[in-house]
Amino acid sequence: DTGVSQDPRHKITKRGQNVTFRCDPISEHNRLYWYRQTLGQGPEFLTYFQNEAQLEKSRLLSDRFSAERPKGSFSTLEIQRTEQGDSAMYLCASSRQNYEQYFGPGTRLTVT
Amino acid sequence: QQQVKQSPQSLIVQKGGISIINCAYENTAFDYFPWYQQFPGKGPALLIAIRPDVSEKKEGRFTISFNKSAKQFSLHIMDSQPGDSATYFCAASRVKAAGNKLTFGGGTRVLVKP
């Protein structure tokens, strides 16, 4: 499978705990994007990387959120001190520069 | 600020019929308009996309119509099949100036009845 992969697919955590998600993009893609999708809504942009550089962060990305893409390969998204409002599907997408974005299957986060 | 408005929220169509979903955008700097299909529990899958230098693009049973002056674009699904039952999202972006980050519409849930 050469598509975008995400791990884990599902995560249930208690409020206040930290969680980390991983995204592996399509291998030749230099752009990697994170989006968040709540139930019944369209995805919302969180942040994106070009190679290892994080070029933009949305206002949705509070101080509790941090994303990295070491060596321009896989990326991680960490949420510290989770809140119930963080419950959502976290989607990763990758692309070659300004070309089409291909999404992974997402990580469904439930904060209890 | 909802920059891309999508309608209807849901629609039911008979097998073999035409599904039509409309989107309107506000930012005239948008220059890339893709449509995504999403099944429950899955990530969005790119269906078809258009740039504003053309008014229509067709790929198989899927057609995008684009009206730059009205700032509107639509997706037509011809000969709808039960397997097309999914949620469809339009999106828009500025390819070069803003990293091509996508702004999505609210989605349309399509149900194709056999």
Side-chain angles (χ1 to χ4, degrees):
Chain A
D1 186 7
T2 57
V4 178
S5 62
Q6 292 186 245
D7 184 71
R9 295 291 310 276
H10 303 275
K11 178 71 176 179
I12 300 174
T13 191
K14 293 185 178 181
R15 188 178 57 179
Q17 298 296 305
N18 299 343
V19 294
T20 300
F21 311 139
R22 175 179 171 128
C23 171
D24 286 89
I26 295 171
S27 59
E28 64 267 26
H29 287 183
N30 63 339
R31 287 256 179 101
L32 187 149
Y33 301 81
W34 286 98
Y35 293 83
R36 182 172 70 185
Q37 184 178 27
T38 53
L39 206 60
Q41 302 296 318
E44 295 176 292
F45 169 78
L46 292 178
T47 186
Y48 87 97
F49 294 83
Q50 181 159 310
N51 300 313
E52 66 274 9
Q54 187 174 16
L55 296 186
E56 186 172 345
K57 293 190 289 186
S58 161
R59 285 190 295 271
L60 293 175
L61 217 62
S62 74
D63 292 344
R64 297 183 297 105
F65 288 71
S66 63
E68 294 181 343
R69 193 184 182 196
K71 302 178 183 178
S73 55
F74 70 93
S75 176
T76 59
L77 178 68
E78 181 184 15
I79 308 174
Q80 296 183 328
R81 305 180 303 281
T82 53
E83 302 173 354
Q84 286 189 322
D86 297 331
S87 295
M89 174 82 88
Y90 290 84
L91 294 162
C92 174
S94 72
S95 73
R96 287 189 299 129
Q97 201 64 17
N98 293 321
Y99 289 84
E100 293 81 4
Q101 291 181 37
Y102 295 92
F103 282 80
T107 294
R108 168 74 65 189
L109 173 66
T110 301
V111 181
T112 61
Chain B
Q1 180 185 6
Q2 188 178 4
Q3 293 195 54
V4 180
K5 294 183 180 180
Q6 185 171 344
S7 63
Q9 287 187 315
S10 63
L11 70 91
I12 300 173
V13 62
Q14 294 294 323
K15 179 182 175 182
I18 303 173
S19 303
I20 301 174
I21 306 169
N22 301 298
C23 283
Y25 62 97
E26 299 171 4
N27 188 346
T28 55
F30 286 145
D31 56 6
Y32 173 66
F33 303 89
W35 284 88
Y36 284 84
Q37 178 190 57
Q38 187 175 32
F39 293 103
K42 307 292 185 182
L46 180 65
L47 263 181
I48 185 173
I50 198 168
R51 306 271 171 137
D53 52 343
V54 297
S55 60
E56 186 173 283
K57 183 175 181 181
K58 183 176 181 179
E59 289 184 1
R61 297 185 293 109
F62 300 94
T63 299
I64 299 180
S65 297
F66 184 80
N67 186 329
K68 187 174 181 179
S69 61
K71 295 187 288 185
Q72 294 176 348
F73 57 111
S74 60
L75 176 70
H76 291 61
I77 306 174
M78 313 300 286
D79 187 26
S80 297
Q81 300 297 312
D84 297 331
S85 297
T87 300
Y88 293 81
F89 293 96
C90 63
S93 70
R94 297 171 61 193
V95 172
K96 293 184 178 178
N100 201 25
K101 61 180 186 284
L102 296 169
T103 299
F104 283 84
T108 298
R109 184 173 293 184
V110 174
L111 176 63
V112 181
K113 288 195 167 181

